[in-house]
Amino acid sequence: MRRPSLPAWAAAALAAQLWLAADAQAAASFDAATRVFRLDGGRVTYAFGVNEAGQLQTLHWGGRLADADPLGPAKSLPSHSSFDLSASITPQEFPAQGGGIFTEVALKIAYADGNRDTVLRYLSHRIERDALTVRLRDVALPLEVSLRYTIDPDTGVVGRSARIENLGSAPLRIDQAASAAYTLAPQDDYRLHHLSGRWAGEWSLQQRPVSEGATVLESRRGSTGQQNTPWFAIDRAGSGGEDNGPVWFGALAWSGSWRISIDKDPLGTVRVVGGFNPYDFAYRLGPGESLDTPVFYAGYSDAGMGGASRLLHRFERDHILPGDGKPRLRPVLYNSWEATEFAVDEAGQMALAEKAARIGVERFVVDDGWFGARNSDKAGLGDWTVNRAKFPDGLKPLIDKVHGLGMEFGLWVEPEMVNPDSDLYRAHPDWVLNFPGRPRTPARNQLVLNLARRDVRDHVLQVLDTLVSDNDIQFLKWDYNRNWSEPGWPQLAPEDQPKVYVEYVRNLYWILAELRRRHPRLEIESCSGGGGRIDLGIMALTDQVWPSDNTDPFDRLSMQDGFSHAYAPAAMMAWVTDSPNWVDRRETSLEYRFLSSMQGALGIGANLNHWQDADFATASRMVAAYKQVRATVQQGDLYRLISPANGSRRSATLSVSPDRRQAVLFAFLHSQSKGMQEPAIRLRGLDPGRRYRIARLGGGALPEAMPAEASGAYWMERGLAVPMRGDFQASGFVLEAK
Ligand code: GLA
């Protein structure tokens, strides 16, 4: 059969894809004549050169250029005046504090003799296929910085990090260390997008002009935090949007205190500098010692905010999440936290497990309350032995039961924390972060163990290793329910104590990696009272994340929308819980709750003991429907068709499988108004020349006027009229290519 001829726009899209496939050769290269470095991957070129002053000067970060395009030699900008010197306004790859730089720097160092001036010059470089390392050295002192660059051949996502090395014989102190500085050439309509929030209110998408005066996104909390997430995107107000226009974006792979600053310099160049948060930071390097920064990833798309997040999702699935490029599909999970809180016991959990299995749940998780003297949040944290009053014969009978019902077994832990009312704290009061003689500020009645200490690190690993070895556990929900206060490490010299900001996180990563090495089939969720520790650093070591304790299905629509700008649905857990929901006391139908949660990795957290037969029937139907589409939802291309942000009454997303044979539409109506029907929803990302059959997700008749089958072009051009009447309405559809 001949393919129908394609409309011009579709042919152009296909040509672009073929071009991409043909040209998807990653490359790091150096042109010795012009002294220009280039990284080419996907549809992106990133280039910088060594200028006449020996500085590494940014030349291009954007769409792919032709091989022979003239990019160099780099030439520093002349001083604008005696106030804005050349070094300050020339876009440098890794500007250090020194030589009259007033823009945001990537590095600031203080020496024992009082010198606080660092001026870096190109020294040498090394190229491996798609990775590049460039060594810089201070003009006078034996301080070296190695900048490491990688580029992903498929998405063009660049990874950058720095190693700072003291090759001298005296110690020095690093006061500020970023991973990278990214710069954008002057334009007057750059617009910054970022995510902000708080406990139970994470993932609000913010937008503001990039203007003179820095915007600082950060966490000072010791962990990633809910206030901001380490991600940014910049588009252009004049040409940008969800579906088209250039977007530059980045994400920092660090789960400790971090900072990304975005600033426009006096001549209009935009700098994005990200890495360790300099707040309360200091890192002393003895002779021969070095500090490695985290990786700051950055990407570019010419297909709007939607194109940017699809690239980032793909990069996260292929290169960040565990699974060697093939993250496992998330099992449907049950967790009784909202239903029972701390009142877990063998009989109660067994009864819930039976009910969960009936509706098709694949992983049963026991949350907080199973260990030590843990009957509330006031005691027991730190004592990871089974509470025998609740589980008289240990966890084995329950685990066996859960396995017998065909489900995996998972357990909640919060290994970095301790209640003062615990055996662990009574035995080791010095194990927590503290300043001697100062109060220790509790939060949720708990203190933070100083994981930076080797003995604490080893203890935590050993406890978890024993737990997972002694019990047949497939999954840990790893929680972290407060931020730091009194970040002291009294066992170290005062000038070394701020190293805690780095060493704590490294040890956390080490424990996670070691635990996974010893138990290769164990899966882990990153939770921090909701979405307080989600970033590309922790995602490399955890299989899924808990975006928020807020499980209200309507609030979740905008939170999931915000989340999806930075992180892949492949890892995003979403639970169906009880109605009215505890957060807003909002009442919604069970079907609405399911469709909201099915936008991510489905979980159920409702009290199944309160369900009627009809609820079990609905749930079974929706869980079965979800299993048919979850590969597409979790690992397909996400199109945000109608945004729920800014009080929108309606919203819609479409997930399209990589082969474009299946597409899943979720549509929601907050409230109908004035009897009006909502406009048709036009789909995106389908193959225009294929025919797709449409069905309701979870079964049921199609709306009267909707054709049962039409071409991709039809669904994209004419769209679907989705009749929804009333408040808190939801519809799901699945399109299958014939
Ligand atoms: C945090 C988590 C919840 C639950 C409780 C248990 O708040 O986000 O999901 O696990 O801790 O104490």
Side-chain angles (χ1 to χ4, degrees):
M1 198 188 87
R2 276 190 65 232
R3 281 176 79 87
S5 66
L6 298 178
W9 59 268
L14 197 64
Q17 278 189 357
L18 292 176
W19 173 79
L20 175 62
D23 225 10
Q25 250 335 351
S29 61
F30 178 65
D31 180 340
T34 53
R35 303 217 292 174
V36 170
F37 295 96
R38 266 182 78 144
L39 296 152
D40 295 284
R43 303 182 66 177
V44 176
T45 296
Y46 187 91
F48 56 96
V50 184
N51 67 20
E52 78 296 341
Q55 296 159 336
L56 276 197
Q57 182 175 339
T58 312
L59 294 173
H60 179 78
W61 172 30
R64 183 92 176 234
L65 303 176
D67 286 353
D69 277 345
L71 275 167
K75 204 172 162 346
S76 64
L77 304 187
S79 296
H80 178 69
S81 68
S82 56
F83 299 98
D84 289 305
L85 301 181
S86 170
S88 199
I89 57 177
T90 298
Q92 293 191 52
E93 286 287 288
F94 203 75
Q97 179 68 53
I101 293 189
F102 304 113
T103 47
E104 183 64 28
V105 294
L107 182 65
K108 180 172 179 298
I109 291 183
Y111 290 89
D113 65 0
N115 172 36
R116 302 193 308 281
D117 184 81
T118 301
V119 175
L120 298 172
R121 294 279 179 266
Y122 168 80
L123 183 65
S124 65
H125 70 268
R126 200 179 65 244
I127 293 183
E128 301 130 303
R129 222 182 80 78
D130 49 7
L132 163 68
T133 307
V134 184
R135 275 167 74 207
L136 308 174
R137 197 181 167 97
D138 181 68
V139 287
L141 292 166
L143 172 92
E144 283 193 16
V145 176
S146 300
L147 302 182
R148 186 171 162 76
Y149 294 79
T150 56
I151 187 159
D152 172 32
D154 296 323
T155 59
V157 170
V158 170
R160 291 187 51 189
S161 60
R163 165 171 294 180
I164 302 140
E165 261 181 296
N166 176 9
L167 300 178
S169 51
L172 57 82
R173 191 184 70 220
I174 301 171
D175 288 330
Q176 189 161 340
S179 305
Y182 290 101
T183 54
L184 292 173
Q187 293 290 353
D188 54 15
D189 63 348
Y190 284 130
R191 208 164 46 171
L192 171 69
H193 305 257
H194 64 97
L195 291 159
S196 69
R198 59 189 177 279
W199 176 75
E202 297 89 338
W203 314 112
S204 295
L205 190 64
Q206 310 289 344
Q207 181 186 303
R208 62 173 82 171
V210 177
S211 57
E212 292 79 1
T215 298
V216 173
L217 311 175
E218 66 172 352
S219 162
R220 302 178 168 199
R221 300 161 180 272
S223 67
T224 325
Q226 275 128 330
Q227 195 174 342
N228 294 138
T229 202
W231 165 87
F232 75 93
I234 294 174
D235 71 348
R236 293 188 56 190
S239 55
E242 177 66 18
D243 299 328
N244 40 49
V247 180
W248 297 262
F249 58 92
L252 188 67
W254 186 243
S255 313
S257 290
W258 59 272
R259 192 174 82 164
I260 297 175
S261 79
I262 301 99
D263 199 1
K264 192 178 188 179
D265 81 6
L267 299 193
T269 300
V270 173
R271 285 182 176 70
V272 183
V273 182
F276 294 128
N277 195 330
Y279 171 80
D280 199 32
F281 181 88
Y283 201 99
R284 201 162 72 109
L285 288 186
E289 289 181 345
S290 62
L291 172 66
D292 287 321
T293 72
V295 180
F296 190 9
Y297 292 101
Y300 170 80
S301 168
D302 58 8
M305 295 293 286
S309 59
R310 284 188 291 278
L311 273 185
L312 190 49
H313 294 171
R314 183 162 145 210
F315 179 74
E316 290 165 0
R317 291 194 304 268
D318 290 353
H319 299 286
I320 300 290
L321 287 167
D324 293 326
K326 293 194 174 27
R328 192 182 149 211
L329 291 178
R330 301 293 83 223
V332 177
L333 165 159
Y334 180 79
N335 178 312
S336 76
W337 168 250
E338 283 197 22
T340 62
E341 296 207 334
F342 298 94
V344 291
D345 62 22
E346 186 181 289
Q349 293 292 299
M350 281 186 177
L352 286 167
E354 277 171 12
K355 293 177 173 140
R358 258 176 65 190
I359 53 176
V361 165
E362 297 158 313
R363 171 180 282 170
F364 184 85
V365 183
V366 176
D367 210 281
D368 200 350
W370 59 268
F371 55 90
R374 189 75 170 167
N375 297 313
S376 71
D377 60 20
K378 294 192 173 53
L381 268 187
D383 301 337
W384 301 104
T385 47
V386 179
N387 181 315
R388 291 283 168 163
K390 299 178 183 179
F391 297 91
D393 301 309
L395 292 172
K396 191 168 187 314
L398 175 61
I399 294 179
D400 288 348
K401 169 98 183 171
V402 166
H403 287 159
L405 289 164
M407 299 183 289
E408 296 181 2
F409 182 81
L411 202 58
W412 179 95
V413 290
E414 194 177 1
E416 300 153 80
M417 299 287 171
V418 67
N419 285 122
D421 185 0
S422 67
D423 293 342
L424 185 72
Y425 188 74
R426 282 183 281 274
H428 299 287
D430 57 329
W431 275 13
V432 297
L433 293 172
N434 75 94
F435 292 120
R438 306 288 308 165
R440 301 177 178 193
T441 306
R444 207 193 191 212
N445 310 300
Q446 63 196 53
L447 299 170
V448 184
L449 289 172
N450 183 359
L451 218 62
R453 287 173 57 133
R454 180 65 75 93
D455 50 0
V456 174
R457 180 197 83 168
D458 292 346
H459 169 81
V460 168
L461 175 67
Q462 182 258 316
V463 162
L464 294 170
D465 187 29
T466 306
L467 192 62
V468 179
S469 302
D470 291 356
N471 299 283
D472 197 357
I473 293 174
Q474 287 73 52
F475 170 78
L476 291 178
K477 172 177 172 181
W478 185 306
D479 214 336
Y480 181 84
N481 272 314
R482 63 162 296 179
N483 293 129
W484 293 6
S485 52
E486 303 92 27
W489 185 355
Q491 292 73 26
L492 294 199
E495 60 272 27
D496 280 328
Q497 291 193 25
K499 280 187 175 175
V500 71
Y501 285 103
V502 176
E503 305 307 330
Y504 183 109
V505 181
R506 283 191 181 157
N507 280 353
L508 168 67
Y509 290 165
W510 182 88
I511 295 168
L512 284 162
E514 183 59 17
L515 195 60
R516 296 187 76 104
R517 195 188 64 75
R518 293 187 193 181
H519 305 279
R521 286 219 281 280
L522 180 72
E523 291 201 345
I524 302 175
E525 173 176 284
S526 176
C527 172
S528 174
R533 194 158 63 187
I534 300 178
D535 56 79
L536 298 197
I538 203 89
M539 279 171 78
L541 293 158
T542 54
D543 305 86
Q544 60 188 51
V545 298
W546 181 230
S548 182
D549 278 357
N550 184 339
T551 55
D552 177 88
F554 172 69
D555 284 358
R556 271 289 177 123
L557 297 179
S558 53
M559 297 168 87
Q560 291 170 179
D561 175 76
F563 179 99
S564 76
H565 283 77
Y567 304 116
M572 183 185 80
M573 295 306 297
W575 295 357
V576 172
T577 57
D578 288 320
S579 174
N581 185 278
W582 67 273
V583 182
D584 300 318
R585 308 304 302 162
R586 182 177 289 116
E587 288 187 44
T588 51
S589 70
L590 187 54
E591 187 147 332
Y592 180 95
R593 282 174 270 152
F594 263 100
L595 288 169
S596 168
S597 298
M598 284 159 73
Q599 285 189 320
L602 179 64
I604 293 151
N607 192 339
L608 303 182
N609 294 325
H610 296 165
W611 277 14
Q612 308 298 314
D613 286 349
D615 299 323
F616 282 104
T618 301
S620 304
R621 186 165 53 79
M622 296 309 275
V623 169
Y626 179 71
K627 290 176 183 171
Q628 299 302 313
V629 298
R630 76 171 133 188
T632 298
V633 169
Q634 294 179 21
Q635 303 190 356
D637 282 333
L638 176 69
Y639 292 85
R640 291 179 292 255
L641 301 179
I642 304 170
S643 164
N646 306 318
S648 168
R649 285 189 306 109
R650 59 198 198 114
S651 66
T653 61
L654 184 78
S655 305
V656 181
S657 64
D659 63 5
R660 300 202 283 173
R661 296 193 63 88
Q662 188 184 62
V664 188
L665 173 73
F666 295 103
F668 300 90
L669 179 66
H670 171 268
S671 47
Q672 203 190 5
S673 179
K674 298 175 184 151
M676 293 293 284
Q677 270 306 328
E678 302 299 325
I681 300 171
R682 291 173 61 176
L683 308 191
R684 304 197 63 231
L686 302 181
D687 181 341
R690 266 186 211 284
R691 293 189 71 77
Y692 293 85
R693 212 188 324 242
I694 191 164
R696 263 197 196 278
L697 203 51
L702 283 179
E704 233 171 61
M706 193 179 287
E709 187 189 310
S711 68
Y714 177 96
W715 299 119
M716 292 194 285
E717 294 297 332
R718 295 191 48 84
L720 281 73
V722 181
M724 290 192 282
R725 299 189 78 90
D727 296 345
F728 300 112
Q729 297 296 308
S731 288
F733 295 91
V734 56
L735 292 100
E736 307 274 0
K738 288 188 69 185

